[in-house]
Amino acid sequence: MVPFATVENEGFKRLIKVLDPRYAIPGRKFFSNTAMPRLYTECREKLGHKIQKVQFFATTSDLWSSRTSEPYLSLTIHYIDNWKLCSATLQATYFPDDHTGELIAQELRDSLESWGLREENMSCMTTDSGANMVKALQLNNWTRLPCFGHRLHLAIENSAKDHRVVRVTSVCKKVVSAFSFSWKKKRDLAQTQTELKLPQKKLKTESPTRWGSRLAMMERVLEQESAISQVLKADRKTRQLAPSWQDVEVMECVKKALGPLRDFTDALSGEDYVSVSYVKPVLHLLKVNILEPSEEDIELTNTMRTTILSYLNDKYQDPTTDALLDMASLVDPRFKRQYIATEKTEEIQARAVSEIECLLSTQQHSLPTSTSQNDPETEYQPPPKKAKKKTLGSLFKTSGSAADTTGPTPSLREVIEAEMKAYLSTPNADSEMDPLEWWKVHEVNFPRVSKLAQKYLCIPATSSPSERVFSTGGNIVTCQRATLKPDKVDKLIFLSKNL
């Protein structure tokens, strides 16, 4: 995370000399051309061996431009290993070609191939709603899950187009600017905060790509409104910037409408726990509670809620996405069929059974021919150590066995249907419980359904893992390291995320 030239700084050399005077520090070229590539190779081989054992995995991908305007395409992998959710950054590839769907599709295929990953083992790829990314996954015929965070951001942006919200956003930005570029205003604000017994906090500004930053800016202005107004009105040049009572009322409406949504975005952006099965329950909760209009609230609050909910309902009408989310909810022991539409319950169950049957059939075809495949529930029984004289009871047992062999043997599908029925009849797990911990205990009871859980519960609900890759890249490609070659950038990001 620091320049290789650090090892040639005089201060660093003196530090190492104090630690061990006998040690001779190699130059920056050794670290750049030998040590770092060797470490990258070792780490890549170790990760490669680990993911080769994975049966199902999900991915996220995104495009990013560095400080030096060099484009990169990220790829992260997510999988379940021994019922623990694991993730890794595979690469941040330099991508100087045109960002067309065709070229992105080819690059993503090449990336999977370079890691020895099979496309048919990928459950899903989570991306934003960029037209080029959508087209790339369509060309590859890959299942795509739209990023929930991105869709929620667009829904909130759509609701913020109201002229009252636009105006108050502009007012807040001007207020923040007035204090950001004047040390006198900052000093006066701190003194006024002390006099009014307000928290000693600085004002926040908005980031256009994060709706939560706009909400945070308004909340801080509301909190410090009395101190802000007192400082601004004391100066004739800035008197007109002080928020009016109408502005304060609008900010209160925005806070009431958007405040509860912030927790959902944060919760669904994690990559250390199951998140995809939460999307359906969250959409249901937003519809029946969080975004439901209330007679007690002001018209603007209800209008924003209705706009957000309408946008989300419209975007989640896609049958493929809806079926994917239903399947993820079905194999989560906390929810199962709770948030699946009643008219679609049987259809989703039938699809789940068919998918399990397909997975098991594929596995059975790959087994040695000597393996018995007649009855999936048949267990191996060792032969008797020595022959015993037949008893009367053994004659009945033999007769029953003979009758069973002539009768119908349960098919694989019937066995799976029985197991699915047994799984769905168990009580739902506590909503606070980790579903992977539940499956770790109950895998022995539902070995076939657990295959489906491994396939779907590894999918991230947002593309945040790829965005975090580029946050790391921004800390590597700094003003002091602007001449780093793309190949070294990829390796440094990889090491930073995976070591």
Side-chain angles (χ1 to χ4, degrees), residues 80-85 434-443 446-447 449-455 457:
I80 294 173
D81 182 19
N82 193 26
W83 294 110
K84 288 188 177 180
L85 191 59
D434 182 357
L436 300 185
E437 288 292 332
W438 188 94
W439 273 114
K440 187 174 183 179
V441 174
H442 293 84
E443 179 184 13
F446 313 109
V449 181
S450 69
K451 297 288 184 184
L452 209 60
Q454 288 180 337
K455 179 177 180 179
L457 295 184

Side-chain angles (χ1 to χ4, degrees), residues 103-168:
L103 293 177
I104 294 174
Q106 183 61 48
E107 181 62 36
L108 290 174
R109 284 198 302 269
D110 293 344
S111 298
L112 289 185
E113 185 177 348
S114 69
W115 283 92
L117 297 171
R118 301 173 61 185
E119 296 179 18
E120 54 268 28
N121 291 345
M122 184 171 70
S123 310
C124 176
M125 177 176 279
T126 306
T127 71
D128 60 22
S129 299
N132 51 359
M133 293 297 294
V134 173
K135 185 177 181 181
L137 268 65
Q138 288 176 345
L139 291 173
N140 286 342
N141 198 25
W142 292 351
T143 303
R144 170 182 168 269
L145 177 66
C147 171
F148 180 83
H150 188 251
R151 281 198 163 170
L152 182 60
H153 174 80
L154 293 178
I156 292 173
E157 287 296 306
N158 199 35
S159 71
K161 292 179 180 178
D162 186 287
H163 67 93
R164 292 165 290 185
V165 180
V166 172
R167 182 189 181 281
V168 82

Side-chain angles (χ1 to χ4, degrees), residues 274 277 327-336 423 435 439 457:
V274 175
S277 56
M327 193 69 74
S329 180
L330 183 72
V331 294
D332 191 320
R334 299 170 297 179
F335 309 125
K336 297 179 183 175
Y423 160 70
W439 273 114
L457 295 184

Side-chain angles (χ1 to χ4, degrees), residues 23-44:
Y23 180 68
I25 308 175
R28 64 181 179 85
K29 288 187 177 181
F30 169 80
F31 289 100
S32 177
N33 301 330
T34 304
M36 188 272 291
R38 185 171 58 203
L39 184 61
Y40 170 80
T41 301
E42 294 173 357
C43 187
R44 182 186 172 95

